[in-house]
Amino acid sequence: MTTSPELQQIVDAIRARQRFVISSHSRPDGDSIGSQLAAAYALRALGKQVTVVNADPAPPPLQQFPGVTDITIADRADGEFDAAIIMECGDLARTGVAGLDRFFVINIDHHPGNTEYGQLNWFDASAAACGELVFDLVRGLQVPLTREIATHIYLAILTDTGSFHYSSISPRTFDICREALEAGVDPVLVARNVYDSNNMGRLKLFGAVLSAMQIDSTGRIAIVYLDHEMARQAGGTYEDTEGLINLPLTVKEMQAVVFFKQTEGDEYRVSMRSKGNIDIGSVAKEFGGGGHKNAAGCTVTGPVDALQKTFIEKIEEAIDGRPAHR
Ligand code: 5GP
Ligand code: MN
């Protein structure tokens, strides 16, 4: 492995410090949880003191992974630390955790558009998951790849590649997965925990949302919508929609999907996914959000009909390859 200057600086900074807080973005996903806990186990193996803090709990299927139930859920990082390691966040506000800027900030991320808010910044958009960077960090720290660490790195990669669907996958992705399996990861168990341990409310909610799905006039874009009333009636929760967004893309003709989730009143969380070369990351960016080419999101406010029309226009432009600004 060739160690980049950024990684070497982070390794040196970690070695020189003792107390760490590790945070990631609000509404954490498999890559945030996996990256955070792989790093936490590695730092503890070096005798460091580590607290993991997130604004929101992990989705229920992820609670089955080692150390997840020990994560502190708080909107403030209380206590004294020598450094804050932030995973998966384009900017510090994405954590939803206040007070992290009091510490020496180490920023580790793979999202295009990272604002380099740390004292040390290691940003690699070519990584399929932040977990790939954490794998290199574990190596750099010369910590043995234990089964716990390897499981979290594999979890990060499995989920952030959409179960090995996305174009971000590289030979390195599989090299890391191979090493993870050699270290004792059980890929069947990980997949079962992540994908096959849901509740009935979730299945009913999927049914309700997919029944109400709309398709754009060209038949290439799916529009899915959820509000609090729909969730209540189906007997599911917003957390239960994790993964739902990928289902419309299982239809051959479908090129992109946009999912509007009401937060409060006229405010909506928008999640988007696309196939191949269709860059919906730049669509999200136009609305103040971000993400990757094939997976992105933002938060918008307005009448939902008008919002849906606007997003469809933008996504059609992205599909047809015309510039977003005309
Ligand atoms: P999701 O649709 O799963 O919420 O997000 C998909 C991807 O887009 C993730 O990689 C996530 O980090 C990114 N993303 C989602 N929402 C936002 C946002 O509001 N701002 C930024 N910068 N990135 C986002
Ligand atoms: Mn990620």
Side-chain angles (χ1 to χ4, degrees):
M1 185 184 93
T2 52
T3 304
S4 67
E6 290 92 342
L7 172 56
Q8 190 56 53
Q9 284 183 322
I10 290 175
V11 166
D12 294 343
I14 289 174
R15 287 197 185 288
R17 289 170 174 77
Q18 183 57 28
R19 299 167 303 171
F20 295 85
V21 57
I22 303 182
S23 191
S24 186
H25 55 78
S26 52
R27 300 178 303 107
D29 59 13
D31 192 20
S32 27
I33 295 292
S35 295
Q36 286 181 285
L37 285 173
Y41 279 107
L43 265 59
R44 285 181 190 132
L46 291 172
K48 310 291 182 186
Q49 182 189 317
V50 182
T51 302
V52 182
V53 179
N54 284 338
D56 302 303
L62 300 189
Q63 306 256 353
Q64 308 170 94
F65 286 86
V68 178
T69 51
D70 298 332
I71 296 175
T72 303
I73 309 303
D75 56 14
R76 218 192 136 69
D78 286 324
E80 282 310 312
F81 301 98
D82 304 318
I85 303 179
I86 314 296
M87 307 276 189
E88 277 269 287
C89 291
D91 57 67
L92 205 49
R94 281 271 291 151
T95 58
V97 177
L100 292 166
D101 56 357
R102 292 182 291 142
F103 311 119
F104 182 89
V105 170
I106 299 173
N107 160 17
I108 302 178
D109 186 27
H110 71 132
H111 292 97
N114 184 287
T115 56
E116 310 216 326
Y117 50 84
Q119 271 72 44
L120 292 178
N121 301 286
W122 182 25
F123 160 66
D124 181 357
S126 74
C130 193
E132 288 192 0
L133 304 182
V134 176
F135 178 85
D136 286 352
L137 176 64
V138 172
R139 278 274 184 82
L141 290 168
Q142 296 178 330
V143 172
L145 193 65
T146 61
R147 187 198 300 242
E148 281 87 6
I149 295 173
T151 296
H152 279 292
I153 287 170
Y154 184 81
L155 167 68
I157 292 174
L158 177 70
T159 54
D160 236 36
T161 57
S163 334
F164 302 104
H165 273 56
Y166 300 154
S167 56
S168 53
I169 296 166
S170 71
R172 170 169 81 149
T173 310
F174 289 101
D175 285 345
I176 295 172
C177 290
R178 179 182 58 77
E179 293 209 32
L181 263 60
E182 282 175 355
V185 172
D186 178 349
V188 177
L189 181 62
V190 174
R192 200 193 304 141
N193 283 345
V194 173
Y195 301 114
D196 303 334
S197 59
N198 297 309
N199 59 64
M200 191 51 84
R202 176 176 146 106
L203 193 64
K204 300 255 190 217
L205 186 59
F206 272 42
V209 171
L210 292 177
S211 299
M213 178 177 73
Q214 299 176 60
I215 309 295
D216 82 313
S217 61
T218 70
R220 300 175 297 179
I221 306 169
I223 306 105
V224 276
Y225 171 83
L226 176 68
D227 59 30
H228 294 290
E229 181 55 21
M230 285 167 71
R232 197 189 59 75
Q233 280 189 12
T237 67
Y238 271 33
E239 285 71 46
D240 290 328
T241 58
E242 180 69 31
L244 191 160
I245 190 167
N246 299 310
L247 293 181
L249 289 184
T250 62
V251 174
K252 189 169 187 179
E253 295 74 24
M254 215 48 80
Q255 298 299 309
V257 55
V258 53
F259 187 0
F260 289 86
K261 248 192 256 187
Q262 181 193 35
T263 47
E264 252 171 70
D266 256 3
E267 189 188 84
Y268 298 90
R269 273 287 313 156
V270 179
S271 283
M272 291 179 280
R273 299 288 185 273
S274 66
K275 280 179 184 163
N277 254 334
I278 300 159
D279 181 9
I280 39 91
S282 54
V283 176
K285 218 167 160 190
E286 277 191 62
F287 294 93
H292 312 269
K293 187 167 73 176
N294 296 134
C298 55
T299 300
V300 292
T301 306
V304 72
D305 289 348
L307 287 172
Q308 291 186 354
K309 201 162 162 277
T310 306
F311 274 83
I312 289 167
E313 281 168 12
K314 296 285 181 196
I315 295 170
E316 278 174 354
E317 285 177 359
I319 294 176
D320 294 331
R322 277 176 282 134
H325 294 288
R326 278 175 296 161

